[in-house]
């Protein structure tokens, strides 16, 4: 669980601070004019924040499972992070909120 959490943190930092927008699925395949229609900085912030929250959930589940000595908690944390984080990210990133007016 620590490995995936670290990967999510690194990806979040690379997208937001490293300006590696090509890691955002679909963005690099858009034409230049389509890319300019989006507020990529706000979108990158969304991706970073969601990835950080998902990493926090994974790390919390891992630490709690060690504290309580119940390995099932790690699995619950993984499913919670994926089942809530991914749909939230998809719904928010595809909303009109990130399109420039």
């Amino acid at each position: 669980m620590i490995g995936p959490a670290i990967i999510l943190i690194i990806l979040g930092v690379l997208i937001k601070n490293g300006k590696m927008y090509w890691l955002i699925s679909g963005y690099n395949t858009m034409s230049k004019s389509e890319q300019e229609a989006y507020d990529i900085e706000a979108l990158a912030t969304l991706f970073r924040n969601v990835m950080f929250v998902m990493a926090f959930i994974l790390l919390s589940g891992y630490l709690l499972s060690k504290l309580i000595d119940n390995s099932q908690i790690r699995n619950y944390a993984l499913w919670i992070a994926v089942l809530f984080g991914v749909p939230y990210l998809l719904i928010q990133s595809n909303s009109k909120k990130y399109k420039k007016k």
Side-chain angles (χ1 to χ4, degrees):
M1 283 301 143
I2 293 176
I6 291 171
I7 290 171
L8 285 170
I9 292 169
I10 290 171
L11 286 173
V13 169
L14 288 176
I15 290 172
K16 175 62 179 169
N17 301 98
K19 300 194 184 301
M20 294 189 174
Y21 304 135
W22 55 270
L23 290 172
I24 299 174
S25 179
Y27 183 75
N28 62 337
T29 60
M30 291 179 180
S31 68
K32 199 68 166 165
S33 62
E34 288 176 318
Q35 288 179 355
E36 291 171 357
Y38 285 90
D39 182 2
I40 191 62
E41 286 296 321
L43 199 55
T45 301
L46 170 72
F47 270 76
R48 182 203 58 202
N49 292 345
V50 171
M51 289 184 184
F52 279 12
V53 169
M54 289 173 68
F56 176 77
I57 292 169
L58 291 177
L59 290 173
S60 298
Y62 174 78
L63 293 174
L64 190 60
S65 73
K66 290 294 184 187
L67 182 68
I68 298 176
D69 196 29
N70 182 352
S71 63
Q72 283 298 100
I73 294 175
R74 289 186 304 205
N75 296 334
Y76 297 143
L78 173 65
W79 285 106
I80 288 169
V82 171
L83 291 176
F84 288 99
V86 172
Y88 179 80
L89 185 60
L90 289 173
I91 291 168
Q92 286 298 312
S93 64
N94 287 310
S95 71
K96 295 182 193 293
K97 180 178 179 180
Y98 298 99
K99 279 205 166 193
K100 293 179 182 174
K101 303 205 183 216

